[in-house]
Amino acid sequence: MTDCIFCKIANGEFNTPFIIETDDYVVFRDINPKADTHVLVVPKQHYESLTELEDESLLGKLLGGVKKAAKELGLKSYKTVINTGKEAGQEVFHLHIHVLSGNIKGV
Ligand code: AMP
Ligand code: ZN
């Protein structure tokens, strides 16, 4: 999707440092962290939200990305959040998984 900020980030258009990059997803730091550590696991393919995701095997890969990110960042305890829909707090309409650790303020 040409107008989507997370598509652009995942395509490398902003030279965002990736904590992890695979063929399926990237992991990078949230620009407005709500915890001491706050990263986002973002599929390279555009899905507006979890509702639009039909390939459930991708979900397994994204959760694998959560685990890898936690290991890479040395997180022993962390919270994983997916906001789906505006009223639930979704602001960026490209599926992503929040990973938060330490002094979590909530997303
Ligand atoms: P959500 O409310 O679940 O849609 O979460 C969107 C998240 O994306 C928020 O925590 C924002 O701080 C974060 N965010 C928005 N724009 C950027 C960006 N350019 N780089 C990194 N994180 C971003
Ligand atoms: Zn997108």
Tab-separated table of all heavy atoms in Angstrom, residues 5-6 9 14 16 28-34 38 40 81-84 88-94 96 98 107, ligand 1:
chain	number	residue	atom	x	y	z
A	5	ILE	N	2.374	4.105	6.287
A	5	ILE	CA	3.657	4.383	6.952
A	5	ILE	C	4.428	3.093	7.275
A	5	ILE	O	5.642	3.035	7.106
A	5	ILE	CB	3.435	5.252	8.229
A	5	ILE	CG1	4.748	5.637	8.897
A	5	ILE	CG2	2.551	4.582	9.247
A	5	ILE	CD1	5.306	6.909	8.400
A	6	PHE	N	3.708	2.049	7.724
A	6	PHE	CA	4.418	0.813	8.078
A	6	PHE	C	4.872	0.055	6.830
A	6	PHE	O	5.907	-0.618	6.867
A	6	PHE	CB	3.564	-0.069	8.997
A	6	PHE	CG	3.557	0.406	10.444
A	6	PHE	CD1	4.193	1.577	10.831
A	6	PHE	CD2	2.910	-0.336	11.429
A	6	PHE	CE1	4.186	2.012	12.158
A	6	PHE	CE2	2.898	0.087	12.759
A	6	PHE	CZ	3.541	1.260	13.123
A	9	ILE	N	8.086	1.890	6.051
A	9	ILE	CA	9.152	1.503	6.994
A	9	ILE	C	9.656	0.097	6.648
A	9	ILE	O	10.867	-0.129	6.544
A	9	ILE	CB	8.646	1.571	8.453
A	9	ILE	CG1	8.440	3.034	8.868
A	9	ILE	CG2	9.609	0.860	9.402
A	9	ILE	CD1	7.816	3.220	10.238
A	14	PHE	N	12.632	4.628	5.065
A	14	PHE	CA	13.081	5.638	6.030
A	14	PHE	C	14.393	5.242	6.718
A	14	PHE	O	14.787	5.875	7.695
A	14	PHE	CB	12.001	5.879	7.090
A	14	PHE	CG	10.715	6.414	6.526
A	14	PHE	CD1	9.527	5.719	6.716
A	14	PHE	CD2	10.690	7.594	5.797
A	14	PHE	CE1	8.331	6.203	6.192
A	14	PHE	CE2	9.504	8.079	5.266
A	14	PHE	CZ	8.323	7.387	5.465
A	16	THR	N	14.887	2.992	8.738
A	16	THR	CA	14.616	2.657	10.143
A	16	THR	C	15.506	1.479	10.552
A	16	THR	O	15.561	0.484	9.823
A	16	THR	CB	13.135	2.231	10.283
A	16	THR	OG1	12.326	3.266	9.739
A	16	THR	CG2	12.745	1.959	11.724
A	28	PHE	N	10.973	-3.198	14.775
A	28	PHE	CA	11.651	-1.916	15.017
A	28	PHE	C	11.056	-1.249	16.244
A	28	PHE	O	9.977	-1.641	16.727
A	28	PHE	CB	11.560	-0.994	13.782
A	28	PHE	CG	10.163	-0.741	13.270
A	28	PHE	CD1	9.404	0.303	13.761
A	28	PHE	CD2	9.606	-1.555	12.281
A	28	PHE	CE1	8.114	0.535	13.288
A	28	PHE	CE2	8.317	-1.330	11.808
A	28	PHE	CZ	7.575	-0.278	12.310
A	29	ARG	N	11.745	-0.220	16.750
A	29	ARG	CA	11.291	0.454	17.967
A	29	ARG	C	10.119	1.394	17.690
A	29	ARG	O	10.116	2.094	16.674
A	29	ARG	CB	12.450	1.247	18.610
A	29	ARG	CG	13.494	0.325	19.184
A	29	ARG	CD	14.547	1.038	19.999
A	29	ARG	NE	15.620	0.107	20.322
A	29	ARG	CZ	15.598	-0.735	21.358
A	29	ARG	NH1	14.591	-0.720	22.208
A	29	ARG	NH2	16.593	-1.567	21.565
A	30	ASP	N	9.172	1.398	18.617
A	30	ASP	CA	8.046	2.330	18.526
A	30	ASP	C	8.567	3.760	18.717
A	30	ASP	O	9.383	4.032	19.591
A	30	ASP	CB	7.009	1.985	19.606
A	30	ASP	CG	5.672	2.665	19.356
A	30	ASP	OD1	5.609	3.920	19.467
A	30	ASP	OD2	4.696	1.964	19.055
A	31	ILE	N	8.064	4.673	17.890
A	31	ILE	CA	8.536	6.062	17.913
A	31	ILE	C	8.108	6.790	19.197
A	31	ILE	O	8.743	7.758	19.616
A	31	ILE	CB	8.026	6.803	16.659
A	31	ILE	CG1	8.908	7.989	16.309
A	31	ILE	CG2	6.568	7.228	16.800
A	31	ILE	CD1	8.592	8.609	14.953
A	32	ASN	N	7.055	6.313	19.827
A	32	ASN	CA	6.516	6.939	21.038
A	32	ASN	C	6.336	5.856	22.105
A	32	ASN	O	5.222	5.426	22.391
A	32	ASN	CB	5.181	7.622	20.687
A	32	ASN	CG	4.566	8.337	21.861
A	32	ASN	OD1	5.233	8.617	22.860
A	32	ASN	ND2	3.270	8.599	21.775
A	33	PRO	N	7.463	5.413	22.689
A	33	PRO	CA	7.419	4.215	23.535
A	33	PRO	C	6.556	4.371	24.783
A	33	PRO	O	6.609	5.398	25.458
A	33	PRO	CB	8.888	3.983	23.903
A	33	PRO	CG	9.605	5.239	23.591
A	33	PRO	CD	8.824	5.969	22.556
A	34	LYS	N	5.756	3.352	25.048
A	34	LYS	CA	4.893	3.329	26.232
A	34	LYS	C	5.453	2.385	27.296
A	34	LYS	O	4.724	1.920	28.186
A	34	LYS	CB	3.481	2.891	25.858
A	34	LYS	CG	2.636	3.982	25.208
A	34	LYS	CD	2.871	3.997	23.733
A	34	LYS	CE	1.968	4.985	22.996
A	34	LYS	NZ	2.257	4.918	21.535
A	38	HIS	N	9.860	-0.875	23.912
A	38	HIS	CA	8.602	-0.975	23.171
A	38	HIS	C	8.949	-1.132	21.697
A	38	HIS	O	9.433	-0.190	21.060
A	38	HIS	CB	7.753	0.291	23.400
A	38	HIS	CG	6.404	0.254	22.755
A	38	HIS	ND1	5.497	1.290	22.883
A	38	HIS	CD2	5.791	-0.678	21.980
A	38	HIS	CE1	4.383	0.993	22.224
A	38	HIS	NE2	4.546	-0.189	21.649
A	40	LEU	N	7.768	-3.044	17.766
A	40	LEU	CA	6.634	-3.469	16.960
A	40	LEU	C	7.090	-4.561	15.998
A	40	LEU	O	8.145	-4.425	15.366
A	40	LEU	CB	6.086	-2.277	16.158
A	40	LEU	CG	5.659	-1.056	16.982
A	40	LEU	CD1	5.360	0.127	16.056
A	40	LEU	CD2	4.442	-1.378	17.840
A	81	VAL	N	0.612	-7.023	22.583
A	81	VAL	CA	-0.704	-6.406	22.351
A	81	VAL	C	-0.962	-6.255	20.850
A	81	VAL	O	-0.064	-5.840	20.105
A	81	VAL	CB	-0.772	-4.993	23.006
A	81	VAL	CG1	-2.091	-4.290	22.666
A	81	VAL	CG2	-0.608	-5.085	24.519
A	82	ILE	N	-2.190	-6.587	20.425
A	82	ILE	CA	-2.636	-6.277	19.057
A	82	ILE	C	-3.916	-5.463	19.181
A	82	ILE	O	-4.934	-5.977	19.678
A	82	ILE	CB	-2.927	-7.551	18.236
A	82	ILE	CG1	-1.708	-8.467	18.168
A	82	ILE	CG2	-3.397	-7.171	16.825
A	82	ILE	CD1	-1.972	-9.800	17.450
A	83	ASN	N	-3.883	-4.207	18.774
A	83	ASN	CA	-5.101	-3.394	18.748
A	83	ASN	C	-5.788	-3.606	17.396
A	83	ASN	O	-5.149	-3.481	16.351
A	83	ASN	CB	-4.758	-1.913	18.925
A	83	ASN	CG	-4.215	-1.606	20.309
A	83	ASN	OD1	-4.690	-2.156	21.306
A	83	ASN	ND2	-3.221	-0.750	20.390
A	84	THR	N	-7.069	-3.902	17.440
A	84	THR	CA	-7.819	-4.154	16.196
A	84	THR	C	-9.026	-3.238	16.157
A	84	THR	O	-9.967	-3.409	16.942
A	84	THR	CB	-8.254	-5.637	16.116
A	84	THR	OG1	-7.087	-6.457	16.227
A	84	THR	CG2	-8.955	-5.925	14.789
A	88	ALA	N	-10.715	0.303	19.560
A	88	ALA	CA	-9.830	-0.463	20.449
A	88	ALA	C	-8.464	0.200	20.581
A	88	ALA	O	-7.580	-0.324	21.255
A	88	ALA	CB	-9.683	-1.888	19.932
A	89	GLY	N	-8.294	1.348	19.900
A	89	GLY	CA	-7.033	2.084	20.027
A	89	GLY	C	-6.090	1.930	18.855
A	89	GLY	O	-4.963	2.412	18.898
A	90	GLN	N	-6.533	1.234	17.782
A	90	GLN	CA	-5.636	1.111	16.623
A	90	GLN	C	-5.514	2.457	15.924
A	90	GLN	O	-6.518	3.098	15.606
A	90	GLN	CB	-6.168	0.051	15.631
A	90	GLN	CG	-5.172	-0.231	14.518
A	90	GLN	CD	-5.620	-1.347	13.561
A	90	GLN	OE1	-6.693	-1.913	13.705
A	90	GLN	NE2	-4.776	-1.643	12.585
A	91	GLU	N	-4.256	2.875	15.716
A	91	GLU	CA	-3.990	4.165	15.065
A	91	GLU	C	-3.334	3.990	13.706
A	91	GLU	O	-3.506	4.810	12.817
A	91	GLU	CB	-3.085	5.030	15.960
A	91	GLU	CG	-3.796	5.528	17.208
A	91	GLU	CD	-2.841	6.244	18.167
A	91	GLU	OE1	-1.645	6.348	17.854
A	91	GLU	OE2	-3.321	6.675	19.227
A	92	VAL	N	-2.539	2.940	13.595
A	92	VAL	CA	-1.882	2.651	12.312
A	92	VAL	C	-2.553	1.409	11.732
A	92	VAL	O	-2.523	0.333	12.348
A	92	VAL	CB	-0.364	2.425	12.491
A	92	VAL	CG1	0.261	2.014	11.162
A	92	VAL	CG2	0.306	3.685	13.035
A	93	PHE	N	-3.140	1.568	10.548
A	93	PHE	CA	-3.959	0.497	9.987
A	93	PHE	C	-3.142	-0.397	9.054
A	93	PHE	O	-3.428	-0.552	7.881
A	93	PHE	CB	-5.233	1.082	9.356
A	93	PHE	CG	-6.165	1.550	10.433
A	93	PHE	CD1	-6.041	2.822	10.983
A	93	PHE	CD2	-7.093	0.677	10.986
A	93	PHE	CE1	-6.856	3.228	12.036
A	93	PHE	CE2	-7.907	1.075	12.039
A	93	PHE	CZ	-7.791	2.365	12.562
A	94	HIS	N	-2.096	-0.929	9.648
A	94	HIS	CA	-1.257	-1.989	9.072
A	94	HIS	C	-0.966	-2.891	10.266
A	94	HIS	O	-0.360	-2.434	11.256
A	94	HIS	CB	0.005	-1.371	8.460
A	94	HIS	CG	1.001	-2.363	7.922
A	94	HIS	ND1	1.538	-2.252	6.645
A	94	HIS	CD2	1.584	-3.454	8.479
A	94	HIS	CE1	2.390	-3.245	6.444
A	94	HIS	NE2	2.440	-3.984	7.554
A	96	HIS	N	0.111	-4.957	13.283
A	96	HIS	CA	1.376	-4.980	14.021
A	96	HIS	C	1.142	-5.515	15.422
A	96	HIS	O	0.040	-5.394	15.965
A	96	HIS	CB	1.999	-3.576	14.096
A	96	HIS	CG	1.067	-2.516	14.620
A	96	HIS	ND1	0.092	-1.942	13.847
A	96	HIS	CD2	0.951	-1.963	15.851
A	96	HIS	CE1	-0.577	-1.056	14.570
A	96	HIS	NE2	-0.070	-1.057	15.795
A	98	HIS	N	2.528	-5.193	19.268
A	98	HIS	CA	3.350	-4.449	20.229
A	98	HIS	C	4.026	-5.435	21.175
A	98	HIS	O	3.398	-6.386	21.642
A	98	HIS	CB	2.477	-3.533	21.099
A	98	HIS	CG	1.772	-2.439	20.368
A	98	HIS	ND1	2.234	-1.145	20.332
A	98	HIS	CD2	0.606	-2.432	19.662
A	98	HIS	CE1	1.392	-0.390	19.644
A	98	HIS	NE2	0.391	-1.144	19.227
A	107	VAL	N	-0.981	0.466	25.877
A	107	VAL	CA	-1.093	0.933	24.496
A	107	VAL	C	-2.547	0.889	24.048
A	107	VAL	O	-3.345	0.170	24.605
A	107	VAL	CB	-0.243	0.095	23.501
A	107	VAL	CG1	1.212	0.423	23.657
A	107	VAL	CG2	-0.514	-1.375	23.654
B	1	AMP	P1	-1.689	1.217	17.368
B	1	AMP	O1	-2.319	2.267	18.232
B	1	AMP	O2	-1.848	-0.178	17.907
B	1	AMP	O3	-2.129	1.344	15.917
B	1	AMP	O4	-0.135	1.476	17.428
B	1	AMP	C1	0.539	2.291	16.525
B	1	AMP	C2	1.903	2.518	17.115
B	1	AMP	O5	2.757	2.928	16.072
B	1	AMP	C3	1.934	3.603	18.190
B	1	AMP	O6	2.454	3.057	19.397
B	1	AMP	C4	2.853	4.673	17.590
B	1	AMP	O7	3.664	5.286	18.556
B	1	AMP	C5	3.664	3.859	16.591
B	1	AMP	N1	4.172	4.604	15.456
B	1	AMP	C6	3.494	5.484	14.658
B	1	AMP	N2	4.290	5.968	13.680
B	1	AMP	C7	5.504	5.366	13.866
B	1	AMP	C8	6.764	5.435	13.190
B	1	AMP	N3	6.945	6.231	12.140
B	1	AMP	N4	7.793	4.691	13.657
B	1	AMP	C9	7.636	3.893	14.732
B	1	AMP	N5	6.467	3.758	15.408
B	1	AMP	C10	5.422	4.493	14.988
